[in-house]
Each structure stands twice: as structure tokens, then as C-alpha cells.
């Protein structure tokens, strides 16, 4: 029997985030939507990082230790998962995992957080040939379907990646304010992409996770999935080639980071599934503080 992708996500959360940390992760997610209408739900123990204004001082005095008021949304919000399932996502990441596996883990964790907050989750995914969208709904079975869609479509036999196609699809078809969680390959910034993201940023909350590329490894056959070319072993092992690759990669990273900073979009990177939970916590925290 095939292992549930949602179950993998829950297992990863239980391994990398103990109960207090999961409470903080929930709290960071709950702070994303500005102007969210909230109702009081219950109290929980204070953990470092909680807002002092959320402390219930009367309950704290009775209990003998700080207690935090927890709230739930009166109305559901929408989380739209946006990701690339083109050929680039069949490549390996900085830690050697398939990029699509890291993408599924990241999408699954934020999707699961949304379900815990009674929000609904939808998906836009695709490649340079087009996008496929699945409507926003609640429930773990629906989240499983979304994750299966991403996992099954990314591969070497599909068209090349072009995230611009997916972002333009969102800009054309989604008018309701929502949270966009974009998981993508290392983006090549340009004025057209920046203009498109500025348009989306004016309409939606945006969180972005970049999956880092693998470095040029030890001598051996290197395969570029984007254009299906093999990099000869003597080139992959060349110190001059490696140096040029490193400089180009650093310039690309600086350009991407600068673009997101100008747009006010919080971005983090992950090179393995082990980095996803702390990366998402950092992403939510940075978004809350406007960094």
C-alpha cells in the first residue's frame, strides 16, 4: 500500500517540532492574514516568541504560570499552493534529494497548518506548457490529492519549467485575497517577473520557499534536466568551470534576494526535506515582522 503523503508530513512535523514548537508554528501561521476576524478558543502555556499582549493575566494569576489566549478564525481563509511541476523539479537539490520530494514536504506542511486553522487549501501547478488548478477545500483527503498531483506530474518526461506561466494563471484567475505559498526552483529574476510579482503582491499575501540547486559534484557525469544536456566529466571537475558556476550562482541568488526585498516578500531556502520545518517557521516569522 502506498504511504500517505499527508502522513509523511505529519511524521516530519512530529520528529522536528515538539509540542511547544508546533504551538509556535501554529501561532505564526495564524498571524499571516491581516484583519483576520477571530474568536477566542482556549488557553495554552506561554512559550518564548509569543506576543505579550496575548497573555491572559487573570488566568495566569490563577494558574501560577503565563497562559496565552488562543483564537480561531471566524471565517475561513484560502491558502493557494503554487508550484512548478516542470522538468526542473526532477533534478536533485543541494542535499541530493529529488526537488519534487522537498516541494511536496513544504507544500504539505503549510497545507496541514492551514487545515488545523480550518482554512481551505487549493493548488496551481504546471510547467511551461500550462497550469492545472484544483479548487480550495478542507480535509486531509483533499490535501493528499493536491500533494499527489504535484508528486506524480514532476518528471524528466514533462515540458521544461517556467514558473511565470503559473504566476500569470494566478493573476488572471484569482481575485479574492488569499495567501499564496510558492515553492519553486532557484528563480532567475528579471524586470518582467518583478512586475508580475508586484501585481500579485498588491492583491495577496505571498510566502516563498526556494529549493536550492545541487552544486557541481565530484568528477562524473552531470546531467542538466532543463535542456537534457550532459556536462562532460572533465568540465564538471574543472576548477575554472566550478569557479564560474559558483560566481554565476551567487549573482543569481543576490538578484533574487534583492528582488524579494524590494517587493516585501518573505523568502527562505531549503536544500533538503530536513530543512523544511525550520525554514517554514522562519518564513512565517519573517512575514509577520515584514522582513
Amino acid at each position: 500500500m502506498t504511504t500517505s503523503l499527508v502522513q509523511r508530513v505529519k511524521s516530519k512535523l512530529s520528529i522536528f517540532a515538539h509540542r511547544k514548537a508546533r504551538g509556535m508554528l501554529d501561532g505564526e501561521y495564524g498571524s499571516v492574514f491581516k484583519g483576520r476576524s477571530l474568536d477566542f478558543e482556549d488557553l495554552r502555556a506561554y512559550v518564548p516568541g509569543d506576543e505579550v499582549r496575548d497573555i491572559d493575566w487573570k488566568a495566569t494569576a490563577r494558574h501560577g504560570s503565563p497562559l496565552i489566549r488562543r483564537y480561531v478564525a471566524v471565517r475561513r481563509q484560502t491558502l493557494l499552493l503554487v508550484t512548478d511541476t516542470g522538468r526542473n523539479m526532477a533534478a536533485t537539490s543541494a542535499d541530493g534529494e529529488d526537488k519534487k520530494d522537498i516541494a511536496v514536504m513544504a507544500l504539505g506542511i503549510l497545507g496541514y497548518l492551514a487545515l488545523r486553522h480550518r482554512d481551505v487549501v487549493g493548488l496551481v501547478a504546471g510547467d511551461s506548457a500550462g497550469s492545472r488548478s484544483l479548487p480550495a477545500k478542507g480535509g486531509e483527503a483533499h490535501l493528499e490529492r493536491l500533494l499527489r498531483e504535484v508528486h506524480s506530474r514532476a518528471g524528466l518526461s514533462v515540458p521544461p519549467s517556467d514558473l511565470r506561466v503559473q504566476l500569470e494563471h494566478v493573476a488572471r484567475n484569482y481575485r479574492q485575497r488569499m495567501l499564496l505559498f510558492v515553492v519553486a526552483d532557484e528563480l532567475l529574476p528579471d524586470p518582467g517577473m518583478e512586475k508580475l510579482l508586484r501585481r500579485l503582491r498588491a492583491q495577496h499575501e505571498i510566502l516563498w520557499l526556494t529549493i536550492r540547486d545541487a552544486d557541481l559534484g565530484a568528477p562524473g557525469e552531470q546531467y542538466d534536466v532543463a535542456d537534457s544536456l550532459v556536462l562532460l566529466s572533465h568540465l564538471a571537475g574543472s576548477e575554472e568551470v566550478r569557479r564560474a558556476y559558483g560566481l554565476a550562482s551567487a549573482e543569481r541568488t543576490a538578484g533574487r534576494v534583492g528582488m524579494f526585498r524590494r517587493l516585501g516578500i518573505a523568502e527562505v531556502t531549503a536544500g533538503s526535506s530536513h530543512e523544511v520545518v525550520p525554514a517554514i517557521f522562519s518564513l512565517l516569522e519573517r512575514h509577520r515582522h515584514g522582513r
Side-chain angles (χ1 to χ4, degrees):
M1 183 177 178
T2 305
T3 304
S4 162
L5 294 176
V6 172
Q7 190 57 48
R8 290 184 195 175
V9 166
K10 293 164 74 172
S11 296
K12 184 71 70 175
L13 274 172
S14 67
I15 292 170
F16 286 90
H18 55 72
R19 187 168 60 85
K20 285 187 177 180
R22 285 199 297 274
M24 293 172 67
L25 199 56
D26 276 329
E28 290 295 343
Y29 175 85
S31 72
V32 168
F33 288 103
K34 295 177 175 62
R36 177 191 285 266
S37 179
L38 301 173
D39 267 353
F40 173 77
E41 182 178 39
D42 61 12
L43 299 169
R44 65 163 172 81
Y46 173 87
V47 294
D50 284 334
E51 296 287 346
V52 174
R53 65 173 179 265
D54 289 335
I55 295 176
D56 188 315
W57 294 107
K58 290 184 179 180
T60 293
R62 292 194 300 269
H63 188 261
S65 60
L67 294 175
I68 293 291
R69 293 185 295 268
R70 293 207 309 173
Y71 297 88
V72 295
V74 174
R75 52 189 169 81
R76 285 183 169 185
Q77 307 287 354
T78 299
L79 168 65
L80 185 65
L81 307 175
V82 182
T83 195
D84 165 23
T85 54
R87 202 179 298 152
N88 284 12
M89 296 305 270
T92 54
S93 70
D95 201 46
E97 292 180 71
D98 286 350
K99 287 186 175 183
K100 71 174 183 179
D101 291 334
I102 301 172
V104 166
M105 183 59 64
L107 296 167
I109 286 174
L110 203 67
Y112 181 65
L113 285 175
L115 296 184
R116 284 173 58 86
H117 282 255
R118 304 174 191 174
D119 289 339
V120 292
V121 186
L123 172 71
V124 170
D127 47 46
S128 59
S131 297
R132 174 170 164 79
S133 60
L134 295 177
K137 298 180 182 178
E140 290 188 15
H142 176 67
L143 180 59
E144 179 74 23
R145 181 189 175 199
L146 303 187
L147 300 183
R148 288 283 168 198
E149 177 74 16
V150 174
H151 192 268
S152 64
R153 285 184 172 268
L156 292 174
S157 61
V158 302
S161 298
D162 186 354
L163 187 66
R164 192 187 309 265
V165 174
Q166 284 70 63
L167 295 175
E168 288 175 345
H169 178 89
V170 174
R172 287 194 308 270
N173 295 288
Y174 292 85
R175 303 300 181 189
Q176 170 195 349
R177 185 170 181 80
M178 57 184 65
L179 172 62
L180 308 184
F181 180 43
V182 183
V183 177
D185 197 20
E186 294 190 11
L187 186 71
L188 290 170
D190 60 52
M193 176 62 76
E194 185 162 348
K195 181 179 179 181
L196 174 58
L197 287 174
R198 191 176 299 280
R199 176 184 170 190
L200 288 169
R201 179 69 179 86
Q203 180 67 25
H204 307 288
E205 303 281 344
I206 302 177
L207 301 174
W208 197 291
L209 187 143
T210 295
I211 302 175
R212 297 195 304 276
D213 287 336
D215 294 328
L216 285 179
E221 186 174 88
Q222 305 288 325
Y223 187 75
D224 185 349
V225 300
D227 51 21
S228 303
L229 295 178
V230 173
L231 181 61
L232 298 178
S233 59
H234 72 278
L235 293 178
S238 164
E239 185 60 34
E240 185 178 351
V241 171
R242 291 171 65 84
R243 190 182 305 113
Y245 177 88
L247 288 172
S249 179
E251 289 178 4
R252 179 176 60 188
T253 297
R256 187 185 73 246
V257 170
M259 180 184 70
F260 284 133
R261 184 178 296 118
R262 290 190 297 274
L263 294 171
I265 295 174
E267 184 231 11
V268 294
T269 68
S272 74
S273 59
H274 300 293
E275 298 177 11
V276 167
V277 174
I280 287 180
F281 183 85
S282 174
L283 182 62
L284 293 169
E285 186 178 41
R286 289 179 63 185
H287 181 84
R288 178 164 63 90
H289 291 291
R291 293 186 280 117

